[in-house]
Amino acid sequence: MRRSKDLTFFAVAVFALAALTAVSNAQQQTSTTAEKTAFGGEVDVTVVNVEVYVRDDEGRPVEGLTIDDFRISQDGEERPISNFAARSRENLVNPAPIQAGSQQPASPRPHIRPVFVVIHVDNANLIPRDRYRVLTRMVSFVEEALVPPVQMMVVSSLQTLEVRQGFTSDPEAVIAALKRASADSGARVPREAERRRIMDGMEEFSTDPRSFEPLFFENPMTRIVVVQTQQDILAFAEQEGAVLKDTLDNLHQVVGLMSGMGGRRAVLYVSSGLPMTPGLGLVHEFARVFHDQTIYSRVAQRDFTSEFRTMADAANKTGVGLYTIDGSGLNPLEGFGAEDRYVPEAAASWASISNLQESLKYMADTTGAIAVTGTNDVLAGLRLIGDDLFSYYSLGYAIVPRGEGTQHKIEVELPGHPDLDVRHREWFVERSPESYIQDRMLSLLVQDFEDNALGLRLAFGEPEFGDKRRWEVPLHVSCPARNLTLARVDDDYVGQVELFLGARDARGRQTKPERMKYTVRIPAALYDPTPELRYGITIRLKVREQQ
């Protein structure tokens, strides 16, 4: 039998629901004890926790506020605050010491939640000089911020996502991974060169003295130039849109990997900007130079506003803050750079710049994070992000769930402190227990875990080469039969098991989560409640040869 050397590593995560028992346990992750109503029924009550960042006019954390200082509203209705905690770098990084001769610390120690940070280097949307500008400063950020309870992970992307370093508390490992990520080519360079070529062509046309003559645009050769330029712009916008779709897919994947982790979660996304509407700056210049407004309707079909909204909703649903860092720095208006041959209209140049930055600001603002834009030195912005990892207030309030995917608008105010800046995620999106379990399973692909309440065991069989350059890898999943909820039906014990399965290869590429249901049927004569009797299921995983 032929073996592939490429089948060296892939991770598999499995979650199992054993009839009613595991479903009940999953609900406890998101709901408090049910409350009795006046009619004798039960109502599930979910506690929503909102992290609130309070800063002064210089961006410094404000400490010393109490529960009475805050007002929180959901969908325009004020809610009583049921949980309150104030966190700072001092009480998280340096908890109160235990006094000599005492078993208790000098002051109560806060419950310290882990903080998971993913640094996402988007090489598909980075120019090398921008990447160098950001990553050299990122080294200082890692050295300052990567202290307990923070863990960091590094991923990079071109068309697909690649994990450069799994979650770690080792600054040297993170810095080494950032250096590896910076070795990739900057895929934005040829697209930027094409954009400049189109822009220069339009500016060269606009400087022709004949362009001021009304009949010049009726010339057949002029019409050919107009049509060809419009086609070039639409082709450029199409290419930018395809890259942007891959980019948002990769961001969704990163958020999905983090969504089931216990603790606080943040993504630091590094790029040279993302277009909300691909090709918008070129469209502005085309309309000015050729006096043709019809191109706006063509490019409007490629607007990605709804896709960015979906991205922010996914992050809000799972409590992930999207911190965005624009590496392009202080962009001069086009035509004023040393490499520019022509000077386009300022409105077109400004449209290009703001189009790339507005998407970054939107994702950060709606998830309660920070967008670092318009600066050649991102270190100050990175330090503000570092403050968010340690200094914040946690507010909790109770709601009665309405169902998976229901969105709620959140507003937090400090009535007595109008001079302070208050930042938090703008939306809360409800999740079902099944959604939580699926997200938790995906998180296990990048995070070690200790909880194994069902006593699951995984065993791999011998890989076999199948068709279409794929290998089939047998995976046997088992657990003690006594951990299943079974009912006696005639001569058998019967129950239901649901498996949630996902896999990831060494480069970080992962499968879509699979949900499988199985009926358990054990003859009563063979049933043994001791740990020795295990119920097992064999699944055949199909793996590409490259994985």
Side-chain angles (χ1 to χ4, degrees):
M1 183 184 72
R2 175 177 166 228
R3 282 196 176 189
S4 169
K5 294 182 180 179
D6 292 313
L7 283 173
T8 54
F9 169 84
F10 65 96
V12 174
V14 177
F15 246 97
L17 297 186
L20 299 177
T21 302
V23 173
S24 174
N25 289 340
Q27 288 174 335
Q28 291 176 11
Q29 300 292 328
T30 57
S31 300
T32 61
T33 305
E35 293 183 352
K36 295 288 184 179
T37 69
F39 298 99
E42 292 186 346
V43 177
D44 287 331
V45 177
T46 295
V47 173
V48 180
N49 289 301
V50 181
E51 293 166 6
V52 181
Y53 307 98
V54 183
R55 304 295 183 254
D56 62 18
D57 56 2
E58 295 185 6
R60 295 172 300 194
V62 175
E63 300 177 2
L65 299 177
T66 69
I67 188 172
D68 295 328
D69 291 308
F70 290 88
R71 298 290 182 272
I72 190 166
S73 300
Q74 177 183 284
D75 301 327
E77 179 182 345
E78 185 174 342
R79 296 299 181 96
I81 300 174
S82 58
N83 301 341
F84 177 83
R87 298 288 181 252
S88 67
R89 180 181 288 268
E90 182 63 26
N91 63 30
L92 288 180
V93 178
N94 302 305
I98 296 178
Q99 293 179 325
S102 172
Q103 300 298 317
Q104 300 295 327
S107 59
R109 294 192 179 192
H111 170 65
I112 299 178
R113 302 170 63 202
V115 181
F116 298 104
V117 178
V118 174
I119 302 174
H120 183 177
V121 182
D122 185 3
N123 286 316
N125 292 285
L126 266 170
I127 294 174
R129 69 170 183 269
D130 297 343
R131 181 176 60 197
Y132 177 80
R133 178 188 295 124
V134 173
L135 295 192
T136 52
R137 290 305 199 179
M138 190 72 76
V139 171
S140 298
F141 167 75
V142 171
E143 292 172 341
E144 294 174 7
L146 188 46
V147 294
V150 176
Q151 297 182 46
M152 290 186 182
M153 175 182 185
V154 179
V155 302
S156 64
S157 59
L158 282 169
Q159 284 187 321
T160 58
L161 197 69
E162 181 172 355
V163 176
R164 299 288 186 162
Q165 171 63 53
F167 281 108
T168 180
S169 299
D170 182 1
E172 292 184 2
V174 172
I175 293 170
L178 291 174
K179 291 180 179 178
R180 292 194 298 273
S182 66
D184 287 348
S185 61
R188 182 91 164 242
V189 173
R191 304 201 311 275
E192 179 64 15
E194 173 64 5
R195 190 191 68 82
R196 282 187 173 275
R197 183 192 69 79
I198 298 171
M199 184 70 79
D200 285 347
M202 289 189 289
E203 294 314 306
E204 185 174 9
F205 182 92
S206 69
T207 59
D208 189 322
R210 294 173 298 171
S211 65
F212 295 97
E213 301 174 5
L215 295 179
F216 181 63
F217 287 92
E218 302 300 326
N219 186 301
M221 295 304 297
T222 301
R223 296 307 304 167
I224 292 174
V225 172
V226 173
V227 171
Q228 183 60 55
T229 303
Q230 184 181 75
Q231 290 177 347
D232 288 347
I233 292 174
L234 294 177
F236 174 81
E238 192 71 32
Q239 182 187 26
E240 282 282 90
V243 173
L244 186 55
K245 183 180 181 300
D246 289 339
T247 297
L248 292 174
D249 286 345
N250 289 330
L251 263 175
H252 274 285
Q253 187 174 336
V254 172
V255 169
L257 286 173
M258 303 183 76
S259 58
M261 292 180 174
R264 302 173 60 225
R265 301 170 291 275
V267 176
L268 270 64
Y269 172 75
V270 182
S271 72
S272 296
L274 295 177
M276 189 75 82
T277 302
L280 185 61
L282 293 175
V283 169
H284 274 294
E285 192 65 5
F286 179 91
R288 181 187 73 86
V289 171
F290 298 114
H291 311 290
D292 185 350
Q293 307 291 321
T294 59
I295 193 173
Y296 281 108
S297 61
R298 302 282 300 275
V299 80
Q301 301 172 8
R302 295 167 172 81
D303 182 79
F304 275 77
T305 300
S306 62
E307 284 82 355
F308 280 105
R309 184 179 298 114
T310 300
M311 181 70 253
D313 288 347
N316 278 322
K317 181 178 180 180
T318 52
V320 177
L322 298 178
Y323 292 83
T324 55
I325 302 170
D326 177 15
S328 60
L330 284 170
N331 284 303
L333 295 180
E334 287 187 279
F336 295 91
E339 71 278 18
D340 294 317
R341 293 191 297 151
Y342 301 98
V343 182
E345 188 183 53
S349 183
W350 178 249
S352 294
I353 296 172
S354 60
N355 186 43
L356 293 172
Q357 294 181 350
E358 285 305 313
S359 57
L360 304 184
K361 294 176 181 178
Y362 175 81
M363 290 191 293
D365 290 346
T366 53
T367 60
I370 295 172
V372 182
T373 62
T375 176
N376 287 333
D377 188 352
V378 300
L379 184 57
L382 287 171
R383 283 177 171 155
L384 293 178
I385 295 173
D387 288 339
D388 280 8
L389 302 181
F390 303 100
S391 300
Y392 63 98
Y393 294 89
S394 178
L395 310 181
Y397 66 94
I399 69 166
V400 176
R402 298 180 183 176
E404 170 79 7
T406 303
Q407 291 187 335
H408 302 283
K409 177 71 172 176
I410 298 174
E411 295 178 277
V412 178
E413 299 176 298
L414 287 170
H417 304 276
D419 55 321
L420 298 180
D421 178 60
V422 180
R423 180 165 41 83
H424 56 86
R425 58 174 167 157
E426 295 182 356
W427 297 91
F428 162 66
V429 185
E430 295 185 22
R431 303 167 67 191
S432 66
E434 291 77 11
S435 174
Y436 172 82
I437 291 170
Q438 180 172 295
D439 291 340
R440 179 64 176 146
M441 180 272 298
L442 290 174
S443 297
L444 296 180
L445 295 174
V446 294
Q447 178 193 29
D448 294 334
F449 70 100
E450 299 177 358
D451 184 21
N452 187 12
L454 286 178
L456 292 178
R457 291 180 186 170
L458 306 183
F460 290 97
E462 193 72 12
E464 297 178 0
F465 190 70
D467 59 348
K468 299 180 180 179
R469 298 181 64 83
R470 290 192 175 190
W471 289 73
E472 290 191 356
V473 183
L475 171 65
H476 187 72
V477 183
S478 68
C479 72
R482 69 175 184 177
N483 289 346
L484 303 177
T485 302
L486 303 176
R488 180 70 179 263
V489 179
D490 297 328
D491 295 330
D492 298 323
Y493 282 97
V494 180
Q496 291 282 334
V497 168
E498 292 187 40
L499 293 182
F500 293 78
L501 176 68
R504 176 178 66 88
D505 68 9
R507 294 185 62 187
R509 296 172 297 187
Q510 68 182 44
T511 63
K512 292 183 178 180
E514 295 283 345
R515 182 180 182 180
M516 295 161 283
K517 295 184 179 181
Y518 297 91
T519 298
V520 181
R521 186 176 295 274
I522 302 176
L526 300 178
Y527 181 73
D528 181 2
T530 62
E532 285 71 26
L533 178 65
R534 301 184 68 85
Y535 172 77
I537 299 168
T538 298
I539 305 166
R540 302 189 71 82
L541 303 176
K542 291 186 177 181
V543 182
R544 292 189 183 91
E545 186 172 15
Q546 289 81 5
Q547 292 178 300

